Amino acid sequence: MKYKVLFSILAFVFSIIIFSSFEDQEDSLSPAFVAKKYVLEELMTTNHRLSDLFDAAKAHDSIRVVKSFKEARIQYKKVEFYLESYESDFTKFINGAPFSWVEFVGGGVDAQKPHGLQVIEELVFDDSIPNYTRIMDECFFVNKELIRFVNIIDVNPTSDASIFLGLKYGIIRIEALSLPAFDCPITLQVAEEINSSLESIYKVMGFYADAYKNKPIYTTIVATQSKIREAQKYLQPKVGHFLNFEAIDKLYFIKQFVQPIHVNIVNVFEAIKVETPVLVRIFRYVTHINGAAKNLYDANFLDNIATAEKSYY
């Protein structure tokens, strides 16, 4: 009963925030605000997918559990770019590695149990009978973390700088984590999940295309969207058929699609004059990444000032 109450509360919270007066504090016509609203709506859908997974686990329906889990992960990829740009320390409770980790508290250490979608993946595909109770517990836990993010997103104003951070971080995650199946080592549904991540980048770029339709940078924005569609076509050569993990030419995908998209994202936000001091500070002390770098393999990809500080290590 407590689970269903939580899911209902979460859906209610989403609805209140999405249709509340937070438009009064921000420019509701700005592409950054439209992107924020889009993410909140997709977060609500993520909640629904987790609710479906919970119901399937409650019914001990193994076929539905597998289907619902895969759908929940694909849906989460639509919002991951945005959540990671806000609080990466919290996202480890949603999609962190399924290993225990240590937190330093008051001069001592405290072992923390892993939580999230990767933990659920191991439970769903256990060689024995799936642990339905634990799957339900993890759905409960992940949704609590989603509530935390809804509150964070609600109280924090959205800017072009934060959107840029999310998009850049999102494309980096596709290249560094999604392509090698780092966070879906059992399902290996790499093509489906990257396709979902790219769809959100496409949508967000579309919000900027609408806002800069009569500006020179519009051409680059549209070219970025076109390259994303090419990447999606490669991953899904025909409707309903995604490439399996082994069939994806990783190097080709990086050079043909990921790198050009990365370059264009940087060019677009440089052209619209993203708040430079804020952006530098965000990248330097949150990600330690040089925001101007246009390639994961750039010699200056890591911010030299941030990495020179003791706190970096």
Side-chain angles (χ1 to χ4, degrees), residues 225-279:
Q225 289 185 295
S226 178
K227 183 60 70 172
I228 290 172
R229 285 293 186 242
E230 289 178 26
Q232 291 177 308
K233 179 67 175 177
Y234 172 81
L235 295 171
Q236 187 178 200
K238 58 183 180 180
V239 177
H241 175 73
F242 283 95
L243 295 180
N244 61 40
F245 178 68
E246 291 77 13
I248 300 173
D249 185 329
K250 314 310 189 287
L251 182 59
Y252 174 82
F253 191 81
I254 289 172
K255 292 181 68 65
Q256 185 68 23
F257 305 117
V258 176
Q259 289 182 343
I261 293 170
H262 192 159
V263 169
N264 280 0
I265 288 174
V266 175
N267 287 341
V268 166
F269 284 87
E270 282 182 348
I272 63 177
K273 303 186 186 308
V274 167
E275 305 92 319
T276 304
V278 174
L279 189 62

Side-chain angles (χ1 to χ4, degrees), residues 11-205:
F12 177 73
V13 170
F14 278 133
S15 300
I16 290 296
I17 290 177
I18 291 174
F19 300 107
S20 71
S21 60
F22 78 137
E23 293 189 25
D24 296 337
Q25 288 87 49
E26 298 185 55
D27 178 4
S28 61
L29 298 179
S30 73
F33 177 84
V34 177
K36 174 177 180 174
K37 192 169 182 178
Y38 163 75
V39 168
L40 284 169
E41 290 169 348
E42 292 300 332
L43 272 170
M44 182 183 288
T45 303
T46 304
N47 167 54
H48 294 331
R49 296 290 80 80
L50 284 167
S51 182
D52 292 341
L53 175 57
F54 168 84
D55 290 339
K58 184 178 180 181
H60 290 200
D61 188 332
S62 59
I63 295 177
R64 277 181 57 206
V65 163
V66 170
K67 180 176 181 294
S68 298
F69 168 72
K70 289 182 176 181
E71 290 175 348
R73 274 200 56 90
I74 292 170
Q75 174 59 33
Y76 174 68
K77 288 296 177 177
K78 288 187 176 181
V79 299
E80 185 177 46
F81 81 97
Y82 197 88
L83 303 192
E84 286 285 347
S85 73
Y86 262 97
E87 292 287 347
S88 58
D89 280 347
F90 292 155
T91 55
K92 64 189 174 191
F93 296 118
I94 299 176
N95 190 37
F99 308 111
S100 296
W101 49 280
V102 174
E103 187 175 60
F104 294 92
V105 180
V109 295
D110 184 19
Q112 301 289 325
K113 292 182 179 180
H115 289 285
L117 295 170
Q118 292 189 58
V119 171
I120 295 176
E121 181 178 34
E122 292 190 340
L123 295 171
V124 169
F125 295 96
D126 192 300
D127 290 336
S128 58
I129 299 175
N131 190 327
Y132 295 113
T133 299
R134 282 203 60 200
I135 291 173
M136 292 163 65
D137 287 341
E138 283 302 313
C139 287
F140 179 79
F141 188 93
V142 171
N143 268 298
K144 286 197 299 183
E145 293 305 309
L146 291 180
I147 289 177
R148 186 203 301 264
F149 268 110
V150 169
N151 290 328
I152 291 173
I153 293 171
D154 182 34
V155 300
N156 283 281
T158 304
S159 65
D160 291 329
S162 62
I163 296 299
F164 175 41
L165 172 61
L167 293 179
K168 186 178 176 72
Y169 216 42
I171 201 69
I172 290 170
R173 289 185 68 83
I174 288 174
E175 183 172 357
L177 299 175
S178 294
L179 264 179
F182 180 83
D183 59 352
C184 59
I186 301 177
T187 64
L188 294 177
Q189 57 177 16
V190 169
E192 294 91 330
E193 294 190 9
I194 293 178
N195 178 72
S196 187
S197 297
L198 287 173
E199 186 62 27
S200 278
I201 296 177
Y202 180 91
K203 288 281 181 63
V204 173
M205 294 305 290

